[in-house]
Amino acid sequence: MTKTLFSHAACDHASTKAARAKCRKEMRGDAVASAASTPKPVAVTPTKKKDPRKVAAASEPAAVETTPESAPAQPETPAAAGPVEITPDTWRDHKDAAALVHINGVAEPFAAQCITGWSIKFLQFTDSEGKRQRIPASTVERVTV
């Protein structure tokens, strides 16, 4: 009844404008209530078939006996890694870390407290004195942490 035309010829209410409006309102309420009670069709997506080998392996846990001789050796903590090189793509990951900025033609690198930006044209960083520095990116050899 929500969007269909309806004839009041079969209704027993008075043929006034108010009576027809009340009838339409009641019909609309009945139609909405019946539409809400019927479940809407749901699109069904096909599921992948599970590999029977994986299902069998997952359902049967392997019984492993650990003895001191067969126990794996404890992994040692890795030695201190060498300097990590920072690129224009990864500078945001090392934004708050102190870095060394190596410049082409300069023997000693700049000590940066933090890198604040790296674009195609410029590398921006805060130096050890707290001043903001901006140098052309074409002169940067490498940046390491």
mmCIF file with all atom_site columns, all heavy atoms in Angstrom, residues 104-117:
data_model
loop_
_atom_site.group_PDB
_atom_site.id
_atom_site.type_symbol
_atom_site.label_atom_id
_atom_site.label_alt_id
_atom_site.label_comp_id
_atom_site.label_asym_id
_atom_site.label_entity_id
_atom_site.label_seq_id
_atom_site.pdbx_PDB_ins_code
_atom_site.Cartn_x
_atom_site.Cartn_y
_atom_site.Cartn_z
_atom_site.occupancy
_atom_site.B_iso_or_equiv
_atom_site.pdbx_formal_charge
_atom_site.auth_seq_id
_atom_site.auth_comp_id
_atom_site.auth_asym_id
_atom_site.auth_atom_id
_atom_site.pdbx_PDB_model_num
ATOM 1  N N   . ASN A 1 104 ? 76.789 15.520 0.198  1.00 0.00 ? 104 ASN A N   1
ATOM 2  C CA  . ASN A 1 104 ? 77.802 15.333 -0.838 1.00 0.00 ? 104 ASN A CA  1
ATOM 3  C C   . ASN A 1 104 ? 78.864 16.425 -0.723 1.00 0.00 ? 104 ASN A C   1
ATOM 4  O O   . ASN A 1 104 ? 78.541 17.612 -0.659 1.00 0.00 ? 104 ASN A O   1
ATOM 5  C CB  . ASN A 1 104 ? 77.187 15.389 -2.237 1.00 0.00 ? 104 ASN A CB  1
ATOM 6  C CG  . ASN A 1 104 ? 76.298 14.196 -2.522 1.00 0.00 ? 104 ASN A CG  1
ATOM 7  O OD1 . ASN A 1 104 ? 76.519 13.121 -2.004 1.00 0.00 ? 104 ASN A OD1 1
ATOM 8  N ND2 . ASN A 1 104 ? 75.291 14.405 -3.355 1.00 0.00 ? 104 ASN A ND2 1
ATOM 9  N N   . GLY A 1 105 ? 80.127 16.033 -0.683 1.00 0.00 ? 105 GLY A N   1
ATOM 10 C CA  . GLY A 1 105 ? 81.227 16.987 -0.641 1.00 0.00 ? 105 GLY A CA  1
ATOM 11 C C   . GLY A 1 105 ? 81.577 17.487 0.742  1.00 0.00 ? 105 GLY A C   1
ATOM 12 O O   . GLY A 1 105 ? 82.519 18.254 0.907  1.00 0.00 ? 105 GLY A O   1
ATOM 13 N N   . VAL A 1 106 ? 80.835 17.110 1.777  1.00 0.00 ? 106 VAL A N   1
ATOM 14 C CA  . VAL A 1 106 ? 81.128 17.530 3.151  1.00 0.00 ? 106 VAL A CA  1
ATOM 15 C C   . VAL A 1 106 ? 81.614 16.297 3.915  1.00 0.00 ? 106 VAL A C   1
ATOM 16 O O   . VAL A 1 106 ? 80.940 15.263 3.932  1.00 0.00 ? 106 VAL A O   1
ATOM 17 C CB  . VAL A 1 106 ? 79.880 18.144 3.829  1.00 0.00 ? 106 VAL A CB  1
ATOM 18 C CG1 . VAL A 1 106 ? 80.180 18.527 5.258  1.00 0.00 ? 106 VAL A CG1 1
ATOM 19 C CG2 . VAL A 1 106 ? 79.365 19.322 3.044  1.00 0.00 ? 106 VAL A CG2 1
ATOM 20 N N   . ALA A 1 107 ? 82.774 16.427 4.550  1.00 0.00 ? 107 ALA A N   1
ATOM 21 C CA  . ALA A 1 107 ? 83.385 15.280 5.211  1.00 0.00 ? 107 ALA A CA  1
ATOM 22 C C   . ALA A 1 107 ? 82.621 14.858 6.458  1.00 0.00 ? 107 ALA A C   1
ATOM 23 O O   . ALA A 1 107 ? 82.432 13.670 6.719  1.00 0.00 ? 107 ALA A O   1
ATOM 24 C CB  . ALA A 1 107 ? 84.833 15.597 5.577  1.00 0.00 ? 107 ALA A CB  1
ATOM 25 N N   . GLU A 1 108 ? 82.166 15.806 7.248  1.00 0.00 ? 108 GLU A N   1
ATOM 26 C CA  . GLU A 1 108 ? 81.517 15.490 8.519  1.00 0.00 ? 108 GLU A CA  1
ATOM 27 C C   . GLU A 1 108 ? 79.999 15.649 8.382  1.00 0.00 ? 108 GLU A C   1
ATOM 28 O O   . GLU A 1 108 ? 79.516 16.666 7.895  1.00 0.00 ? 108 GLU A O   1
ATOM 29 C CB  . GLU A 1 108 ? 82.038 16.430 9.611  1.00 0.00 ? 108 GLU A CB  1
ATOM 30 C CG  . GLU A 1 108 ? 81.863 15.872 10.998 1.00 0.00 ? 108 GLU A CG  1
ATOM 31 C CD  . GLU A 1 108 ? 82.627 16.696 12.014 1.00 0.00 ? 108 GLU A CD  1
ATOM 32 O OE1 . GLU A 1 108 ? 83.817 16.971 11.788 1.00 0.00 ? 108 GLU A OE1 1
ATOM 33 O OE2 . GLU A 1 108 ? 81.998 17.069 13.010 1.00 0.00 ? 108 GLU A OE2 1
ATOM 34 N N   . PRO A 1 109 ? 79.219 14.648 8.829  1.00 0.00 ? 109 PRO A N   1
ATOM 35 C CA  . PRO A 1 109 ? 77.759 14.754 8.699  1.00 0.00 ? 109 PRO A CA  1
ATOM 36 C C   . PRO A 1 109 ? 77.164 15.715 9.722  1.00 0.00 ? 109 PRO A C   1
ATOM 37 O O   . PRO A 1 109 ? 77.733 15.974 10.766 1.00 0.00 ? 109 PRO A O   1
ATOM 38 C CB  . PRO A 1 109 ? 77.277 13.327 8.942  1.00 0.00 ? 109 PRO A CB  1
ATOM 39 C CG  . PRO A 1 109 ? 78.330 12.722 9.802  1.00 0.00 ? 109 PRO A CG  1
ATOM 40 C CD  . PRO A 1 109 ? 79.623 13.355 9.381  1.00 0.00 ? 109 PRO A CD  1
ATOM 41 N N   . PHE A 1 110 ? 75.973 16.238 9.387  1.00 0.00 ? 110 PHE A N   1
ATOM 42 C CA  . PHE A 1 110 ? 75.225 17.075 10.323 1.00 0.00 ? 110 PHE A CA  1
ATOM 43 C C   . PHE A 1 110 ? 74.538 16.157 11.326 1.00 0.00 ? 110 PHE A C   1
ATOM 44 O O   . PHE A 1 110 ? 74.019 15.108 10.964 1.00 0.00 ? 110 PHE A O   1
ATOM 45 C CB  . PHE A 1 110 ? 74.134 17.890 9.607  1.00 0.00 ? 110 PHE A CB  1
ATOM 46 C CG  . PHE A 1 110 ? 74.657 19.015 8.783  1.00 0.00 ? 110 PHE A CG  1
ATOM 47 C CD1 . PHE A 1 110 ? 74.688 18.919 7.393  1.00 0.00 ? 110 PHE A CD1 1
ATOM 48 C CD2 . PHE A 1 110 ? 75.095 20.182 9.376  1.00 0.00 ? 110 PHE A CD2 1
ATOM 49 C CE1 . PHE A 1 110 ? 75.142 19.958 6.632  1.00 0.00 ? 110 PHE A CE1 1
ATOM 50 C CE2 . PHE A 1 110 ? 75.554 21.241 8.615  1.00 0.00 ? 110 PHE A CE2 1
ATOM 51 C CZ  . PHE A 1 110 ? 75.583 21.128 7.234  1.00 0.00 ? 110 PHE A CZ  1
ATOM 52 N N   . ALA A 1 111 ? 74.495 16.581 12.592 1.00 0.00 ? 111 ALA A N   1
ATOM 53 C CA  . ALA A 1 111 ? 73.763 15.844 13.618 1.00 0.00 ? 111 ALA A CA  1
ATOM 54 C C   . ALA A 1 111 ? 72.384 16.469 13.734 1.00 0.00 ? 111 ALA A C   1
ATOM 55 O O   . ALA A 1 111 ? 72.242 17.632 14.071 1.00 0.00 ? 111 ALA A O   1
ATOM 56 C CB  . ALA A 1 111 ? 74.496 15.911 14.947 1.00 0.00 ? 111 ALA A CB  1
ATOM 57 N N   . ALA A 1 112 ? 71.358 15.697 13.428 1.00 0.00 ? 112 ALA A N   1
ATOM 58 C CA  . ALA A 1 112 ? 69.982 16.194 13.473 1.00 0.00 ? 112 ALA A CA  1
ATOM 59 C C   . ALA A 1 112 ? 69.278 15.617 14.692 1.00 0.00 ? 112 ALA A C   1
ATOM 60 O O   . ALA A 1 112 ? 69.374 14.424 14.963 1.00 0.00 ? 112 ALA A O   1
ATOM 61 C CB  . ALA A 1 112 ? 69.235 15.805 12.207 1.00 0.00 ? 112 ALA A CB  1
ATOM 62 N N   . GLN A 1 113 ? 68.566 16.481 15.448 1.00 0.00 ? 113 GLN A N   1
ATOM 63 C CA  . GLN A 1 113 ? 67.762 15.991 16.567 1.00 0.00 ? 113 GLN A CA  1
ATOM 64 C C   . GLN A 1 113 ? 66.570 15.211 16.046 1.00 0.00 ? 113 GLN A C   1
ATOM 65 O O   . GLN A 1 113 ? 66.221 14.164 16.558 1.00 0.00 ? 113 GLN A O   1
ATOM 66 C CB  . GLN A 1 113 ? 67.267 17.156 17.422 1.00 0.00 ? 113 GLN A CB  1
ATOM 67 C CG  . GLN A 1 113 ? 68.308 17.760 18.289 1.00 0.00 ? 113 GLN A CG  1
ATOM 68 C CD  . GLN A 1 113 ? 67.714 18.887 19.139 1.00 0.00 ? 113 GLN A CD  1
ATOM 69 O OE1 . GLN A 1 113 ? 66.605 19.342 18.894 1.00 0.00 ? 113 GLN A OE1 1
ATOM 70 N NE2 . GLN A 1 113 ? 68.471 19.331 20.120 1.00 0.00 ? 113 GLN A NE2 1
ATOM 71 N N   . CYS A 1 114 ? 65.932 15.754 15.012 1.00 0.00 ? 114 CYS A N   1
ATOM 72 C CA  . CYS A 1 114 ? 64.805 15.069 14.393 1.00 0.00 ? 114 CYS A CA  1
ATOM 73 C C   . CYS A 1 114 ? 64.607 15.600 12.977 1.00 0.00 ? 114 CYS A C   1
ATOM 74 O O   . CYS A 1 114 ? 64.937 16.749 12.682 1.00 0.00 ? 114 CYS A O   1
ATOM 75 C CB  . CYS A 1 114 ? 63.526 15.233 15.203 1.00 0.00 ? 114 CYS A CB  1
ATOM 76 S SG  . CYS A 1 114 ? 62.971 16.921 15.342 1.00 0.00 ? 114 CYS A SG  1
ATOM 77 N N   . ILE A 1 115 ? 64.079 14.751 12.119 1.00 0.00 ? 115 ILE A N   1
ATOM 78 C CA  . ILE A 1 115 ? 63.774 15.152 10.747 1.00 0.00 ? 115 ILE A CA  1
ATOM 79 C C   . ILE A 1 115 ? 62.338 15.653 10.734 1.00 0.00 ? 115 ILE A C   1
ATOM 80 O O   . ILE A 1 115 ? 61.427 14.969 11.196 1.00 0.00 ? 115 ILE A O   1
ATOM 81 C CB  . ILE A 1 115 ? 63.954 13.971 9.787  1.00 0.00 ? 115 ILE A CB  1
ATOM 82 C CG1 . ILE A 1 115 ? 65.403 13.517 9.814  1.00 0.00 ? 115 ILE A CG1 1
ATOM 83 C CG2 . ILE A 1 115 ? 63.553 14.353 8.375  1.00 0.00 ? 115 ILE A CG2 1
ATOM 84 C CD1 . ILE A 1 115 ? 65.664 12.258 9.045  1.00 0.00 ? 115 ILE A CD1 1
ATOM 85 N N   . THR A 1 116 ? 62.124 16.851 10.198 1.00 0.00 ? 116 THR A N   1
ATOM 86 C CA  . THR A 1 116 ? 60.780 17.431 10.199 1.00 0.00 ? 116 THR A CA  1
ATOM 87 C C   . THR A 1 116 ? 60.105 17.375 8.840  1.00 0.00 ? 116 THR A C   1
ATOM 88 O O   . THR A 1 116 ? 58.900 17.591 8.747  1.00 0.00 ? 116 THR A O   1
ATOM 89 C CB  . THR A 1 116 ? 60.818 18.895 10.682 1.00 0.00 ? 116 THR A CB  1
ATOM 90 O OG1 . THR A 1 116 ? 61.700 19.634 9.839  1.00 0.00 ? 116 THR A OG1 1
ATOM 91 C CG2 . THR A 1 116 ? 61.294 18.969 12.122 1.00 0.00 ? 116 THR A CG2 1
ATOM 92 N N   . GLY A 1 117 ? 60.851 17.098 7.786  1.00 0.00 ? 117 GLY A N   1
ATOM 93 C CA  . GLY A 1 117 ? 60.236 16.994 6.471  1.00 0.00 ? 117 GLY A CA  1
ATOM 94 C C   . GLY A 1 117 ? 61.245 16.619 5.406  1.00 0.00 ? 117 GLY A C   1
ATOM 95 O O   . GLY A 1 117 ? 62.425 16.940 5.509  1.00 0.00 ? 117 GLY A O   1
#
